[in-house]
Amino acid sequence: CTNTKTVYFLPGFALKIVHPANLCFKLPENVSLEEGAMCEPLSVGVHGCRRASVGAETNILIVGAGPIGLVTMLSARAFGAPRIIIADVDEQCLSMAKKLGADDTVLVSTKAEDIEEEVTRIQNSMGGKINVTFDCAGFEKTMSTALKATCPGGKVCLIGMGHNEMTVPLTPAAAREVDVVGVFRYKNTWPLCLEFLRTGK
């Protein structure tokens, strides 16, 4: 873009750019450029799984089945999560989540008065404790659902940025020692993302 006062240069749209070598990562031979580009959104899920300490004994609930919810689900599976439930207001998003490997899906509403009944359905769907919940939407209702559905001593990881501020039932969650951790983008994730892509995880 140019005008009489300012010239803007977007280096990502150039044929060639110079970039610091320590910030570049070579794609494995079996990873296409298109797959390599997926490291950016996948990094959000990987960083969230690291912040929430996801492992082989971590049952996961993901609230929000949009692109970030789906890459968070794929990341949690790659980290070894044995059971993953995903909840959303959109049936098509839930269908995609199921195709990508969700163990079960739960259709929810946008109405706050439905939280208690939906939490019961989510917990029944899990069939055990929900150790970690990822809120990939970031609204009052989704965060309230996350805090209520997560087991005592579990973690809620807020990834979505739907609202800048929200009112949520934090005191009851604190009484159950539910930890709340935040995610803002990511750091030091690209090597692991490339390894997940290389191995098909």
Side-chain angles (χ1 to χ4, degrees):
C1 298
T2 62
N3 64 29
T4 56
K5 295 183 179 181
T6 310
V7 175
Y8 299 98
F9 176 61
L10 302 172
F13 293 110
L15 294 176
K16 294 181 181 180
I17 61 172
V18 177
H19 203 68
N22 65 328
L23 297 176
C24 296
F25 299 88
K26 185 174 171 71
L27 291 179
E29 291 294 323
N30 66 330
V31 175
S32 71
L33 290 174
E34 292 81 6
E35 290 168 327
M38 290 296 100
C39 281
E40 197 286 327
L42 183 60
S43 286
V44 176
V46 166
H47 186 54
C49 287
R50 283 179 173 168
R51 295 270 294 136
S53 303
V54 172
E57 297 180 1
T58 313
N59 289 325
I60 304 289
L61 166 63
I62 296 173
V63 183
I68 296 301
L70 295 177
V71 294
T72 300
M73 179 188 72
L74 294 171
S75 299
R77 187 68 77 200
F79 272 77
R83 186 153 174 80
I84 302 172
I85 306 299
I86 192 160
D88 198 277
V89 299
D90 188 295
E91 290 186 56
Q92 286 184 311
C93 290
L94 292 175
S95 176
M96 179 58 72
K98 195 73 170 163
K99 287 178 189 173
L100 289 174
D103 293 297
D104 202 0
T105 61
V106 178
L107 183 66
V108 295
S109 78
T110 59
K111 299 174 186 171
E113 58 267 22
D114 295 337
I115 291 175
E116 297 298 332
E117 181 268 331
E118 290 170 355
V119 165
T120 300
R121 284 195 291 122
I122 288 166
Q123 290 172 332
N124 288 341
S125 177
M126 180 61 75
K129 291 181 181 178
I130 296 170
N131 307 107
V132 171
T133 299
F134 292 100
D135 179 357
C136 295
F139 295 103
E140 284 188 17
K141 183 184 186 254
T142 58
M143 191 62 175
S144 296
T145 299
L147 290 167
K148 290 179 181 228
T150 305
C151 73
K155 287 185 184 178
V156 172
C157 185
L158 178 58
I159 295 177
M161 301 282 181
H163 282 161
N164 191 39
E165 293 182 8
M166 57 180 98
T167 302
V168 296
L170 197 54
T171 303
R176 294 175 24 255
E177 297 189 345
V178 173
D179 295 338
V180 178
V181 297
V183 165
F184 184 69
R185 297 185 182 163
Y186 47 81
K187 64 178 182 176
N188 305 320
T189 56
W190 291 75
L192 184 57
C193 288
L194 288 171
E195 181 62 13
F196 285 164
L197 290 171
R198 185 189 70 77
T199 60
K201 276 186 134 180

